[in-house]
Amino acid sequence: MANLDPDNIPVVDFSRYGTDLASLALEIKQICETWGFLYLKNHGLEQEKIDRMFNISETFFKTTSYEEKASTPWNSIYNAGFDAKTGTEKYMSENGAKDIVSAQDGKEVFVIRKQKSYDQPMPPSLRKFNPEIQQFMAETHEKIAVRLLACLGLGLGLTKERLPDVHKHESPSYTTLRLIYYPALEQLDNAPIRLPSHTDQGVITILFQNQIAGLQVRPPKYTGPIKEDEVWLDAPVVPGAVLINIGETMTFFSGGLMKSTLHRVARSPKPEDAGKDRYSMAYFCHPNQDTLLEVMQGIEGAVKRETPISCVTGRQVETVKDWIEHRHSLGRQEAMAAK
C-alpha cells in the first residue's frame, strides 16, 4: 500500500521497474486513483538532454521575432504550432473555477507533433532544432511513457503490453511536446493565475519544470465544484524528477478508476523567483489516433461510459482522434462565441 500524504504529491522511485515491478505498479495505481499526480525520480532520461531542450526552448522564445513565431499558428484540429493566448483556455473555466488571469500575461507556447503523425510547418528558427526535438520525444516515450503505461496497465489488471500496444511511437497519434514560456510579470500585475484550472485530455502528461515553480494541484480532499476557500498545493520543482499526471483519456479507458486532477499555473510561491522568466515542457502522451475511445475490457470495477457528441462532426465520438479534435475545438469555439 502506498503511503499517501494528503498534503504532498507522492514521489515514486522508478528504478524499481526492473526489480520490483508488481509492487511498483500497485503503488502507482493507488496514487493515480487518489491523487492523479506523482513525481518520478530515477526515470532514466538523462538530465543533460532535458537541459538541452530547455536551452532550445529559451533560444526560440527569446531570439525569434513574434512575426516569425506567429507564422505557424496553433490549430485546434491539428494541435500543432504557436499560440500566445491558447484558444483552449475557454473550457478551462470548468468545475466552478473563477480563476482571474491577467490580460497582460504574455505567455507563449509552441506545440510540436511527433513525426509520422503530421507534416508540421515550423518557423525556420525552430525547424533547425527539430531533429533533436524528435529524438528527445522518442526517448521520453520509450524511457518514461512506455514503462509508466505498463505499470498503469498492470495495476488495472491488464497485461504489461496492453497499454503500450496502443501507444506505438511510430504510429500516428496526437502525442505532442509543448514548449511553454511564461515571461516575468510586472510587479504591479496582481493577477495570481497564469493558466486557469483544467484537466489534460490525453492518457498521461510528463511535465518537465526548469528551476521556477508555478504549477498548482487541487488536493484530493476536495471534490465536486471548486469552492473559493480551497487551498491548492504548490508543486515544487524536484531536482532530477519529472511530474506525471493522468489525463481524461486514461480516466475514460479505466472506467473512472484513474483520476484526472484539476491543476493550474500561478506565480511561483518563492519571493526570489519574482521578476524571472519561467519555462516548462509538457509531453502529452496520446494513444494511436485510430484507437477506440471505450472502457478497456478486463478492468475490475470499471464503469462503462458514453462518449460525447463531437462539436466538429456532429456525431458521437468513436476514436481518440475524434475525441481530441472535439476537446480542442470546443475550447476554441466557446472562446469565439464569448467575444
Side-chain angles (χ1 to χ4, degrees):
M1 180 70 179
N3 183 17
L4 300 181
D5 183 340
D7 298 315
N8 289 285
I9 299 171
V11 180
V12 173
D13 185 350
F14 210 43
S15 66
R16 294 161 48 206
Y17 183 88
T19 60
D20 195 14
L21 181 57
S23 68
L24 175 65
L26 179 59
E27 180 179 2
I28 289 175
K29 170 183 179 287
Q30 292 168 342
I31 292 170
C32 292
E33 287 176 334
T34 53
W35 272 94
F37 267 84
L38 67 150
Y39 288 99
L40 284 185
K41 64 178 184 179
N42 298 320
H43 48 71
L45 187 59
E46 296 88 340
Q47 186 61 46
E48 56 265 29
K49 295 181 178 179
I50 299 171
D51 294 340
R52 171 59 179 163
M53 283 301 107
F54 275 119
N55 179 263
I56 288 173
S57 178
E58 182 175 358
T59 299
F60 170 67
F61 285 119
K62 297 286 280 188
T63 67
T64 305
S65 71
Y66 189 90
E67 290 73 23
E68 183 182 336
K69 287 184 283 192
S71 66
T72 56
W74 182 83
N75 180 288
S76 65
I77 298 297
Y78 299 119
N79 187 27
F82 174 78
D83 206 347
K85 288 289 185 180
T86 173
T88 57
E89 283 186 15
K90 178 62 180 178
Y91 72 75
M92 290 179 180
S93 297
E94 55 189 16
N95 293 286
K98 297 179 181 179
D99 296 326
I100 299 174
V101 181
S102 169
Q104 274 64 52
D105 195 339
K107 59 183 173 290
E108 301 178 358
V109 302
F110 199 96
V111 183
I112 302 163
R113 293 277 294 275
K114 65 184 178 68
Q115 290 176 333
K116 300 183 181 179
S117 294
Y118 173 56
D119 186 14
Q120 179 172 352
M122 300 181 80
S125 59
L126 189 60
R127 188 186 309 124
K128 64 184 180 182
F129 296 119
N130 198 38
E132 286 185 78
I133 295 171
Q134 294 296 327
Q135 180 62 31
F136 179 79
M137 293 177 70
E139 291 195 35
T140 299
H141 192 82
E142 293 304 319
K143 293 182 177 180
I144 303 178
V146 168
R147 295 192 298 162
L148 182 57
L149 290 166
C151 289
L152 290 172
L154 285 172
L156 289 167
L158 305 174
T159 66
K160 178 182 176 182
E161 296 77 22
R162 180 67 178 95
L163 283 170
D165 280 348
V166 295
H167 293 80
K168 297 291 188 184
H169 192 71
E170 63 272 17
S171 299
S173 76
Y174 278 86
T175 294
T176 60
L177 180 68
R178 180 178 291 236
L179 308 179
I180 311 169
Y181 168 48
Y182 294 90
L185 288 174
E186 296 292 335
Q187 293 301 308
L188 296 178
D189 191 333
N190 294 320
I193 303 303
R194 307 201 68 175
L195 186 66
S197 312
H198 64 284
T199 55
D200 294 344
Q201 290 109 25
V203 170
I204 54 173
T205 301
I206 303 170
L207 181 68
F208 303 89
Q209 298 191 89
N210 188 30
Q211 300 178 351
I212 307 299
L215 186 73
Q216 291 186 333
V217 175
R218 191 189 192 202
K221 63 183 177 182
Y222 299 123
T223 59
I226 298 172
K227 298 179 177 60
E228 292 188 9
D229 62 349
E230 291 184 5
V231 178
W232 287 44
L233 182 68
D234 290 304
V237 177
V238 177
V242 294
L243 186 57
I244 305 293
N245 67 279
I246 296 296
E248 292 177 7
T249 305
M250 188 67 227
T251 299
F252 201 101
F253 281 168
S254 66
L257 296 180
M258 299 284 97
K259 182 181 179 181
S260 183
T261 299
L262 285 162
H263 52 285
R264 65 192 184 190
V265 178
R267 290 173 179 262
S268 170
K270 296 183 176 182
E272 62 267 29
D273 290 341
K276 296 179 180 179
D277 295 336
R278 178 179 185 265
Y279 294 89
S280 65
M281 299 185 298
Y283 183 82
F284 294 100
C285 183
H286 292 273
N288 309 340
Q289 65 185 31
D290 59 353
T291 303
L292 294 177
L293 186 68
E294 61 185 8
V295 177
M296 290 188 164
Q297 293 184 352
I299 301 177
E300 185 176 350
V303 177
K304 185 177 179 181
R305 296 183 165 195
E306 293 295 324
T307 59
I309 301 298
S310 170
C311 69
V312 176
T313 66
R315 300 188 298 271
Q316 192 166 23
V317 165
E318 294 183 358
T319 66
V320 168
K321 180 177 184 293
D322 298 336
W323 163 242
I324 298 304
E325 290 181 355
H326 162 69
R327 281 295 283 172
H328 284 153
S329 298
L330 181 66
R332 179 56 58 95
Q333 289 182 8
E334 290 182 355
M336 294 300 293
K339 291 183 177 180

